Amino acid sequence: MSPRFQAPRGTFDILAQEWGQRARVYAVAAEIFDRAGYGRIETPAFEDTDLFARGVGQSTDIVQKEMFSFEDQGGRNLTLRPEGTAPIVRAYLEHGMQKLAQPVKLWHWGPYFRHERPQSGRFREFNQIGAEAIGSDSPLVDAELIILLDELFRGLALPGIRLRLGSLGSADSRVAYREELKAYLRGRQKELAPSVRERIDLNPMRAFDSDDPGTRQVMEEAPTMLERLGEDDAGHFNAVRAVLDRAGIAYQLDPTLVRGLDYYTRTVFEFESDRLGAQAALGGGGRYDGLVERLGGRATPACGWAAGIERIVLALDEEEGGNAIDVFVAASPDRRERAFALVRELRRAGLRAELDLADRSLKGQMKQADRLGARAAIVLDEERPAQLRDMASGEQRELDLARAVEELGA
Ligand code: HAM
């Protein structure tokens, strides 16, 4: 026998019976975005590697070790997209969206790729839904985006959701803070995990994300950016908070929230679920006021978020919905053509109708109808008039085929 294949490590198949929940997430999100004036955008699954190196940042885990990069036949360096914000900013610039009324509000849904260590809720190919509002620095934008994600989780009735909120200040004000933090970390470097120690110069703020006990202890006493916000940044943050407070959105202030991508400025946030264990982050984002400029545009403020579809599905408080059908048409061999035509007619009338496609006996077909959870069965047998059977009660009666659609209540 030839060897069989398996889906690559960290990837998964989305099976037919798993599709219903995703479709519901999509439908709820699409409606929320539509009402809020967000347009759907889709960008390619791969981009120039430099877009992420420059956009997401050289010092991040994503760029340093998680990208699936390759050279194509033309010698171009390409990368399967690890995230969606840099590609959308690329599209914003490429299509001259600066000329539209600002902010330009976009949403997206699709696959992303990161070479991470796979575990529950963490995959190498996963799907994200996300929103980006490019072209305004109003605190209303930050608040609106957070509220939209909150509405999505509420619309899906996701239980046990927490929101963490922080601010990283503007890039300029962060320069002095980073120096202060580096000096603090150097002073206590013996207590830090080696991986944190090595990155004091490159990315000191990531030390807040470490789960090494020694490092955590050090970080508990570390100065935070939230305490060092300049007047403008503090004013902006307070304005975001005031809108959220008025909207009744509960959040926890978290001065240690740093996020894993380099482009963030000012507001950052993350939604967590207490049902997800170690990979608790359902979705997160923040402001990225420097990214458009970093990718070759004029200085343009922007804000956005992304949420993981697989993590949302894991956190959903519901059983997988069955795909019960309305009617199964069972037929003896010489009535199969009639059955095929009838099924087409029933489907056109809006019913979920199936028939046997595997040459089963009439008895076998009734079993199949049962397995499919059919509400009713129509039996076409050369030896007697057509019958309509209620699958739950087992009651059966004669059926005038011309009235089948009406009888089935379509
Ligand atoms: P992120 O926090 O890297 O942000 O990813 C957003 C969400 O994607 C996470 O909260 C998580 O639910 C999901 N996710 C990330 N990695 C994985 C994985 N390996 N397996 C399963 N799910 C995963 C971003 O990607 C930013 N682009 C968000 C953003 C948009 N910021 C501004 N605009």
Side-chain angles (χ1 to χ4, degrees):
M1 265 211 293
S2 298
R4 293 204 192 168
F5 294 97
Q6 288 187 329
R9 190 165 141 71
T11 71
F12 52 87
D13 301 303
I14 304 168
L15 301 178
Q17 67 272 21
E18 292 163 356
W19 194 251
Q21 285 182 320
R22 284 164 193 263
R24 194 162 81 78
V25 177
Y26 190 96
V28 170
E31 187 165 342
I32 288 171
F33 284 130
D34 184 49
R35 279 191 247 139
Y38 280 69
R40 176 92 157 80
I41 186 170
E42 210 163 301
T43 61
F46 57 84
E47 299 268 357
D48 286 331
T49 298
D50 279 348
L51 174 68
F52 300 113
R54 207 145 24 110
V56 175
Q58 290 285 5
S59 70
T60 59
D61 280 353
I62 291 181
V63 171
Q64 289 209 331
K65 52 186 188 201
E66 292 173 2
M67 298 207 297
F68 286 95
S69 299
F70 58 98
E71 197 175 286
D72 75 359
Q73 287 80 345
R76 285 168 284 259
N77 285 314
L78 300 171
T79 291
L80 294 181
R81 59 183 185 180
E83 67 99 46
T85 308
I88 288 173
V89 168
R90 194 257 316 130
Y92 172 89
L93 292 169
E94 185 171 336
H95 300 283
M97 291 187 225
Q98 319 87 297
K99 293 187 210 101
L100 305 176
Q102 307 289 300
V104 174
K105 301 193 293 182
L106 301 167
W107 75 281
H108 55 98
W109 169 295
Y112 293 86
F113 308 84
R114 295 184 194 176
H115 196 278
E116 294 193 83
R117 203 156 37 78
Q119 63 181 82
S120 168
R122 190 162 71 191
F123 308 99
R124 290 184 173 170
E125 179 179 356
F126 56 97
N127 292 278
Q128 280 187 346
I129 183 169
E132 314 289 349
I134 308 175
S136 164
D137 66 2
S138 166
L140 287 177
V141 171
D142 313 41
E144 178 177 85
L145 280 160
I146 292 171
I147 289 169
L148 289 176
L149 187 50
D150 181 73
E151 299 233 318
L152 173 62
F153 295 149
R154 274 172 210 271
L156 294 168
L158 278 190
I161 302 291
R162 286 182 307 271
L163 168 61
R164 294 154 66 208
L165 184 70
S167 173
L168 298 175
S170 49
D172 289 346
S173 65
R174 212 151 57 206
V175 174
Y177 168 71
R178 274 171 63 106
E179 290 311 314
E180 181 186 356
L181 182 61
K182 278 189 214 171
Y184 171 80
L185 291 174
R186 274 194 216 105
R188 298 186 61 172
Q189 41 179 316
K190 286 204 195 88
E191 299 161 70
L192 300 173
S195 61
V196 175
R197 206 180 308 140
E198 277 160 26
R199 293 214 286 175
I200 291 180
D201 283 324
L202 197 60
N203 199 346
M205 286 167 80
R206 291 293 291 177
F208 284 108
D209 269 352
S210 171
D211 41 24
D212 164 69
T215 307
R216 287 185 83 96
Q217 182 107 42
V218 173
M219 298 322 286
E220 261 168 37
E221 291 148 38
T224 67
M225 187 62 222
L226 210 50
E227 301 157 334
R228 301 286 187 271
L229 290 183
E231 206 177 310
D232 284 356
D233 293 337
H236 191 274
F237 190 50
N238 288 335
V240 174
R241 292 182 58 185
V243 183
L244 292 177
D245 290 339
R246 277 197 297 276
I249 305 282
Y251 56 82
Q252 220 180 322
L253 269 194
D254 187 349
T256 70
L257 182 60
V258 289
R259 310 262 312 134
L261 303 95
D262 264 3
Y263 47 62
Y264 290 111
T265 55
R266 294 191 159 176
T267 315
V268 282
F269 57 91
E270 215 157 78
F271 282 86
E272 290 179 349
S273 160
D274 57 20
R275 306 190 135 210
L276 288 182
Q279 302 304 314
L282 273 176
R287 205 159 250 295
Y288 49 95
D289 290 342
L291 184 59
V292 177
E293 197 174 11
R294 224 199 279 181
L295 296 179
R298 267 185 287 122
T300 306
C303 190
W305 53 255
I309 302 301
E310 286 70 33
R311 295 196 190 168
I312 292 176
V313 169
L314 277 170
L316 277 176
D317 189 20
E318 62 188 40
E319 295 288 305
E320 198 62 62
N323 269 349
I325 63 168
D326 294 311
V327 55
F328 189 93
V329 179
S332 57
D334 74 330
R335 307 299 304 276
R336 297 232 155 166
E337 270 175 42
R338 181 70 190 93
F340 195 85
L342 179 59
V343 161
R344 285 187 68 202
E345 208 180 297
L346 296 170
R347 287 177 183 169
R348 281 205 199 111
L351 289 162
R352 305 172 77 191
E354 291 205 43
L355 79 165
D356 172 49
L357 297 173
D359 263 336
R360 292 182 180 85
S361 67
L362 262 180
K363 200 167 152 212
Q365 292 182 50
M366 294 315 283
K367 251 196 215 155
Q368 178 65 0
D370 211 32
R371 258 185 244 130
L372 291 171
R375 195 158 54 78
I378 294 175
V379 186
L380 305 181
D381 183 351
E382 63 251 48
E383 283 166 17
R384 53 182 176 163
Q387 303 283 310
L388 177 64
R389 184 185 178 88
D390 181 317
M391 293 298 287
S393 68
E395 258 170 59
Q396 194 163 308
R397 62 187 162 84
E398 219 167 279
L399 171 73
D400 173 4
L401 283 181
R403 292 177 40 82
V405 170
E406 272 165 70
E407 296 270 352
L408 286 161

